Amino acid sequence: MKTTTMRKRFMMTGLLALLIPIVLFTPQAYGESYVAGQFGVTLPQSLGNGTATQDGIDGLDISDQSLKSSALVGAKLGHYFTKARWMGIETGLSYTTPHVEEGSITFSGPGGSVTSPTLSGLSQRIITWDIDVIFRYPGYRLQPYLGIGPSLFFASLNGPTAPPGQSATSIGFNVEGGLRYYITRRWALFGEGKYNWARMDYSSNHSDPNADPFGFRATYSALGLSVGISYHF
């Protein structure tokens, strides 16, 4: 009985000796700011729910237009609050080129539908500015996080025979989630997934004889997958 009691005391003492340094000396997350760079891929859905806005054919529905996957680059700046270590705010810019694939377009309305001949693809470039509220689990090295907020999209379309092209500036939203791993107190690696959505309104350029005159409105949505590195201060 005495041997068993001594063994239990020895195990408890050893356990306490192991836990005390962890509790006392393991750094915890606290209020901080950070800058980050990232790169990855954009996986877009088709431009959907399209409606023509061009003079003479406005109001006609447009068939979905397939988009190509694209490289993605971006940078962001964020801050976690001192009194709420699990909450912060983040702003970021990203650039991607989900081009419109070659294909035909079907216009439909009360009088029926008409399908165009096969059209060459269009170059689409999108710059997105996000402002998000971020929530994280304030652990030590590994920190999962979620964010949501509005986005401002600056987009352009250019065809091979219409250098001026078209442009759209639209308000949408984004949702993001990821994991950040602190290599040191200052440097961290992260992997992230982000979903973007906006109703793009490509303005008509019928006043410019050298530009593509076709104006339309369509829904843009895409999943972005990226990795990056951040510096915390």
Side-chain angles (χ1 to χ4, degrees), residues 140-221:
Y140 172 38
R141 288 192 180 275
L142 188 64
Q143 295 185 4
Y145 61 90
L146 294 171
I148 186 170
S151 301
L152 188 60
F153 295 80
F154 304 93
S156 65
L157 277 177
N158 289 278
T161 59
Q166 300 148 278
S167 61
T169 301
S170 306
I171 296 176
F173 74 90
N174 78 92
V175 179
E176 67 177 67
L179 281 173
R180 180 177 288 110
Y181 180 78
Y182 283 77
I183 306 171
T184 68
R185 170 65 192 90
R186 299 294 183 185
W187 294 96
L189 298 174
F190 65 92
E192 182 178 285
K194 176 177 288 189
Y195 176 77
N196 287 103
W197 183 96
R199 186 69 174 163
M200 296 293 197
D201 190 358
Y202 279 103
S203 59
S204 169
N205 278 331
H206 61 273
S207 60
D208 185 346
N210 297 314
D212 186 344
F214 180 58
F216 69 98
R217 185 181 296 112
T219 298
Y220 170 79
S221 61

